């Protein structure tokens, strides 16, 4: 841990304080505007534009720009809502979440694991394990540790506040994969976001260029549903 990490950690704590003061709806809106304004100017947005050109070559530049801005807005909302998720719940009017496919959660709760639930980084993915935990299904998750250990601790604290102490979180990597398999062998449930960028794994062909994706081959041994 270096001085830069400490400065970043202090700034993150200050931002959390402000976002909590704003409340869930205003925090989501403010972060959405900031991310939508600044995000497209960052170099990483050129990578997003390149990916869109490969995957959807028929899209014109203005349409690609609209999608990239929408991605940044969604990411901003996810960040703004994260400090509030532990205090939110199921609701049809918001702020909070609604659940579809509840029968799958009830089936897992009644029959137990092992089982794997697949999703992607769509909407506020941070709310999925919290919503399932409130329904009695404590699924473990895999996560990519932040480069700053202080920021990483803050994120883990926020997630634990939502899912409770029984919610397991395995860091991406060989050790995390072994822990995940042990958890499944013990009858646990796992939630996986399968659209992670990786430098190893298996080659998939969603576009003209192959991309590396994380395999979950052992899932064929257990029940699994998309979520």
């Amino acid at each position: 841990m270096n001085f830069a990490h400490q400065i970043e950690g202090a700034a993150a704590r200050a931002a959390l304080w402000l976002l909590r003061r704003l409340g869930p709806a205003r925090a989501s809106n403010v972060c959405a505007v900031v991310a939508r304004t600044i995000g497209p100017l960052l170099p990483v947005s050129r990578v997003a534009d390149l990916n869109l050109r490969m995957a959807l070559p028929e899209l014109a530049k203005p349409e690609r720009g609209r999608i990239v801005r929408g991605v940044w807005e969604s990411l901003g909302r996810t960040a703004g809502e994260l400090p509030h998720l532990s205090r939110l719940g199921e609701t049809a009017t918001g702020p909070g979440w609604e659940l579809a496919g509840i029968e799958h959660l009830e089936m897992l709760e009644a029959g137990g694991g092992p089982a794997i639930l697949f999703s992607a980084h769509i909407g506020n993915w941070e709310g999925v394990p919290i919503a399932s935990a409130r329904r009695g299904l404590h699924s473990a998750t895999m996560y990519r540790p932040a480069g700053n250990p202080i920021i990483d601790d803050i994120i883990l604290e926020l997630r634990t506040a939502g899912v409770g102490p029984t919610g397991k979180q395995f860091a991406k990597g060989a050790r995390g994969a072994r822990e995940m398999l042990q958890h499944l062998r013990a009858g646990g449930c796992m939630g996986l976001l399968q659209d992670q960028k990786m430098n190893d794994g298996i080659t998939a062909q969603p576009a003209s260029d192959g991309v590396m994706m994380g395999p979950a081959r052992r899932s064929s041994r257990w029940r699994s549903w998309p979520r």
Side-chain angles (χ1 to χ4, degrees), residues 105 108 115-119 137 139 189-192 224-225 227:
L105 295 181
L108 278 175
I116 300 178
L117 298 95
F118 296 97
S119 188
L137 179 64
S139 61
C189 296
M190 279 294 307
L192 296 178
S224 61
W225 299 276
R227 75 177 179 184

Side-chain angles (χ1 to χ4, degrees), residues 52-110:
L52 286 171
R53 278 185 282 163
M54 289 191 297
L56 300 168
E58 70 278 8
L59 290 182
K61 185 175 181 179
E63 182 65 12
R64 296 198 305 271
R66 185 190 67 80
I67 293 174
V68 172
R69 289 191 298 273
V71 169
W72 279 108
E73 178 179 331
S74 179
L75 183 60
R77 290 191 183 281
T78 298
E81 294 163 8
L82 182 57
H84 302 281
L85 288 179
S86 63
R87 299 179 180 88
L88 298 181
E90 216 174 314
T91 173
T93 58
W97 57 78
E98 292 183 77
L99 292 179
I102 296 175
E103 64 274 12
H104 300 310
L105 295 181
E106 293 173 342
M107 188 183 306
L108 278 175
E109 187 179 2

Side-chain angles (χ1 to χ4, degrees), residues 7 17 19 37 48 50-51 67 71 76 88-89 105 107 109 120 128 148 163 181 190 202 206 216 222 225:
I7 295 296
W17 178 86
L19 292 173
T37 302
L50 176 61
N51 289 340
I67 293 174
V71 169
L88 298 181
L105 295 181
M107 188 183 306
E109 187 179 2
V128 176
N148 182 331
V163 301
L181 290 174
M190 279 294 307
I202 59 174
W222 300 298
W225 299 276

Side-chain angles (χ1 to χ4, degrees), residues 120-145:
H121 289 85
I122 301 171
N124 192 332
W125 62 89
E126 294 285 359
V128 176
I130 298 175
S132 62
R134 299 284 174 82
R135 282 277 178 166
L137 179 64
H138 295 273
S139 61
T141 57
M142 295 285 291
Y143 75 98
R144 184 195 297 266

